[in-house]
Amino acid sequence: MKALSGVDATFLHLETAHTPMHIASLSLFDLPPGYRRDFYTEVKRELARRLHRVPILHRKLAPMPLQFANPVWVEDDAVDFDHHVQRVTLPAPGTLEQLEDCAARLHSQPLDRHRPLWQLFVIDGLQNGQVGYYLKGHHAALDGQAGVLLAQTLFDLAPRPAATRRSAAARADPGEHPGEHPGEHPGPWELAAAALRHDAGQYIKLLRHLPDVARTLGGMFGAAAQPAGQRAPGENFVLGPHTPLNVQITAERGFAAVSLPQERLRALAAQHGVTLNDIVLALCSGALRRYLAHRGGIPKKPLTAAMPISLRAADDTEYTIRATMPLVSLHTQIADPLQRLRAIHAAAGAVKAMVHRAKGVLPLDFPSIGVPWVMHTLAELCGRTHIGGVMPPLANVVISNIHGPPVPLYVAGARMSSYWPMSIVDHGLGLNITVMSYAGTMGFGFTTARAAVPDAHALTRSLEAALDELAAKSNRARPRSARAAPA
């Protein structure tokens, strides 16, 4: 048995039919010239071979008696690959927009709690000859950085790495794998005892660290009480304005993706003395300004973004959540893109400094007895009462920037050409922008609730326009001697 942390289990308890809590990725693969094998069959065989390397692939949830506490992870006796790995064929003509719409439909379907919490869909039928690859896993099992670890395990660094150039006999006998021999699953009393032991330990930790937590939170919120001109960190605790993005949602999802050259964004960051993450936030801010300008107008009050920040140590390879999600102002009330970038740089820097100070005391686990009832009841109540479309939003959007693999990845001999992350939306929070770097590109994934954003592709067009605007303004601000000569 392996206990879920309090943060991990939160995503289980908040899940409803309209708000599934899994994260995913959509990739495109280039098949080698003359490829005659069945890519779907090859992928399925590769996953089966690597099953023992990735805990999320072969463990499932064991619920507590009467759901009185968080469930635990146990080994699955027999992983059903016909369920977990499926094929989808797009209808003609097989455009990239059809691929995005297909991924959105798959993303709206919750995972089966009685099985390991992941699924893979190989999507063929694309008119350009590429193959789509949609992989999803529950957020209770991994966060963004854990997703990068998963990719590093499931994919190769070469079309045919040395580790896979083995004889057929060696592949046929890879050693003992989880699930090959049925194990004894814990009974009700063992589960209850495990929950009580876990909670006893968490209460001890909570009491031991309570003074540090109180001091840290007091400092964080105390900054919010300072005068407006002196509270860079505190401004991020102000509620955001109500926008068309912040409504009650249904289960229908939308998705649109775009890849931008990483070097171009890095050059802008270097020119203005800011971070790459500041550029990402500024581009998202500019895109939202353009999008909202045609849908009710740009609010006078700045939009607020929830910005996940990883707390994972460099050597931490656990498939679990190691992140916190503070708020940062997007300063959408500022029309000039360079002034807005400077304001975002100051706000994001203050938030990161605040998280760095609090990193050692932020709790990622807590007692769970009674929590499943309370949290799931609140989630269902939120869905039934439509409170998500009435309450002032704490955040208008989620923006996450993940450092991904810097080199190309391969599976079954095919090269991954594009990678776009997909994430979670919720009542009152109908847009999630997740960005991941991959092999010299920055893949922007816009996951939407269709009730909030009917056409997700309008956001990718706005993002590209925001980049052009920032680049043009930056070029005019650069000294003439430093400008590049016309091509």
Side-chain angles (χ1 to χ4, degrees):
M1 292 185 295
K2 176 177 173 55
L4 279 81
S5 74
V7 175
D8 292 347
T10 297
F11 288 96
L12 289 175
H13 309 324
L14 294 179
E15 187 169 60
T16 68
H18 287 176
T19 57
M21 293 287 165
H22 50 256
I23 59 177
S25 64
L26 177 64
S27 308
L28 280 175
F29 281 86
D30 296 325
L31 299 180
Y35 192 88
R36 297 186 181 278
R37 293 172 288 167
D38 180 44
F39 185 67
Y40 163 74
T41 302
E42 293 297 313
V43 165
K44 199 172 179 180
R45 183 181 294 121
E46 280 294 309
L47 273 176
R49 188 172 63 82
R50 300 172 193 230
L51 176 69
H52 66 290
R53 302 186 195 176
V54 188
I56 184 179
L57 298 184
H58 57 75
R59 65 187 184 189
K60 62 182 180 179
L61 294 172
M64 289 289 168
L66 303 178
Q67 305 286 342
F68 82 99
N70 291 339
V72 296
W73 295 112
V74 297
E75 292 294 325
D76 191 358
D77 293 336
V79 177
D80 181 3
F81 272 83
D82 289 332
H83 167 79
H84 288 283
V85 186
Q86 299 184 29
R87 187 205 302 263
V88 176
T89 300
L90 297 176
T95 64
L96 291 178
E97 188 169 328
Q98 284 178 283
L99 175 69
E100 292 168 327
D101 291 342
C102 176
R105 287 193 299 273
L106 296 173
H107 204 60
S108 68
Q109 301 166 6
L111 290 160
D112 185 350
R113 294 276 186 99
H114 298 94
R115 304 173 185 268
L117 295 180
W118 66 277
Q119 268 191 305
L120 167 65
F121 293 84
V122 175
I123 308 171
D124 53 27
L126 282 162
Q127 62 185 1
N128 61 8
Q130 293 180 303
V131 182
Y133 192 99
Y134 169 82
L135 175 65
K136 66 179 174 180
H138 205 285
H139 210 347
L142 71 168
D143 59 9
Q145 285 299 329
V148 175
L149 295 173
L150 178 64
Q152 291 171 344
T153 306
L154 295 183
F155 302 131
D156 300 314
L157 297 177
R160 196 178 176 209
T164 64
R165 291 195 291 266
R166 304 182 301 192
S167 67
R171 286 199 297 270
D173 184 23
E176 186 172 311
H177 291 184
E180 285 186 345
H181 305 291
E184 293 184 5
H185 283 187
W189 294 111
E190 291 175 279
L191 291 170
L196 291 172
R197 286 195 301 270
H198 173 269
D199 275 28
Q202 291 307 313
Y203 279 120
I204 293 172
K205 287 183 181 179
L206 188 62
L207 290 173
R208 184 184 303 155
H209 294 291
L210 192 59
D212 293 332
V213 173
R215 280 194 298 270
T216 301
L217 293 178
M220 289 163 62
F221 285 95
Q226 296 176 5
Q230 304 174 18
R231 56 174 175 88
E235 70 184 358
N236 300 293
F237 292 99
V238 179
L239 297 177
H242 198 85
T243 75
L245 306 173
N246 309 116
V247 296
Q248 195 77 5
I249 69 172
T250 64
E252 291 184 292
R253 296 289 177 267
F255 180 70
V258 64
S259 294
L260 301 178
Q262 188 175 25
E263 191 55 42
R264 186 181 183 190
L265 305 192
R266 287 192 182 279
L268 285 171
Q271 179 184 346
H272 297 290
V274 300
T275 68
L276 182 60
N277 189 64
D278 295 333
I279 296 293
V280 168
L281 291 174
L283 293 179
C284 292
S285 176
L288 290 172
R289 275 180 54 87
R290 288 176 173 272
Y291 180 82
L292 293 174
H294 301 285
R295 293 161 182 83
I298 303 168
K300 294 181 179 179
K301 191 177 180 182
L303 269 65
T304 300
M307 184 178 68
I309 295 179
S310 177
L311 303 177
R312 187 177 293 272
D315 58 348
D316 187 346
T317 58
E318 278 287 311
Y319 285 90
T320 185
I321 298 174
R322 298 275 196 267
T324 186
M325 194 158 63
L327 305 179
V328 61
S329 174
L330 294 178
H331 290 287
T332 47
Q333 83 284 9
I334 302 175
D336 183 88
L338 297 186
Q339 293 181 19
R340 192 183 330 121
L341 174 61
R342 287 190 287 270
I344 288 173
H345 172 66
V351 167
K352 289 180 179 179
M354 180 179 64
V355 170
H356 181 74
R357 291 194 299 270
K359 185 174 182 178
V361 299
L362 286 173
L364 296 177
D365 201 357
F366 40 81
S368 66
I369 291 178
V371 170
W373 297 330
V374 174
M375 296 193 72
H376 189 68
T377 299
L378 289 174
E380 291 285 356
L381 186 64
C382 181
R384 292 173 185 170
T385 59
H386 296 271
I387 195 171
V390 178
M391 290 289 291
L394 184 63
N396 299 105
V397 60
V398 178
I399 302 177
S400 181
N401 184 13
I402 303 166
H403 180 67
V407 295
L409 300 178
Y410 298 81
V411 66
R415 181 185 185 275
M416 183 192 295
S417 61
S418 302
Y419 183 99
W420 303 295
M422 302 176 69
S423 197
I424 295 169
V425 291
D426 207 341
H427 296 298
L429 199 58
L431 172 62
N432 185 303
I433 308 173
T434 304
V435 187
M436 181 178 282
S437 60
Y438 168 68
T441 63
M442 299 289 288
F444 286 72
F446 291 81
T447 306
T448 69
R450 288 196 183 273
V453 182
D455 178 16
H457 299 93
L459 289 165
T460 57
R461 293 191 294 268
S462 296
L463 181 78
E464 291 173 318
L467 174 58
D468 291 340
E469 178 189 40
L470 180 60
K473 192 80 173 182
S474 300
N475 194 47
R476 287 195 295 269
R478 189 185 305 171
R480 183 176 297 272
S481 59
R483 298 179 190 176

